[in-house]
Amino acid sequence: MFGWNTLEVLAMKAGNPDAPANAIPPHAYAHCQLRYVVGSDQDNF
């Protein structure tokens, strides 16, 4: 069996979805989940 560390983006919002612009938004939010295997150095992720 193999296992690896995984980072999943559960939800994300950037800019204004109702009025998109072709530019980098000034702020963004993301809710993420980090799963790691036994033996990973979780203090240095």
Side-chain angles (χ1 to χ4, degrees):
M1 184 180 315
F2 294 96
W4 53 86
N5 299 327
T6 304
L7 175 68
E8 297 179 15
V9 178
L10 302 176
M12 185 177 108
K13 181 177 180 182
N16 183 357
D18 295 328
N22 193 15
I24 298 171
H27 60 273
Y29 300 96
H31 292 273
C32 301
Q33 179 182 52
L34 176 63
R35 294 182 180 194
Y36 52 90
V37 295
V38 174
S40 297
D41 186 7
Q42 59 188 343
D43 294 330
N44 292 313
F45 276 129

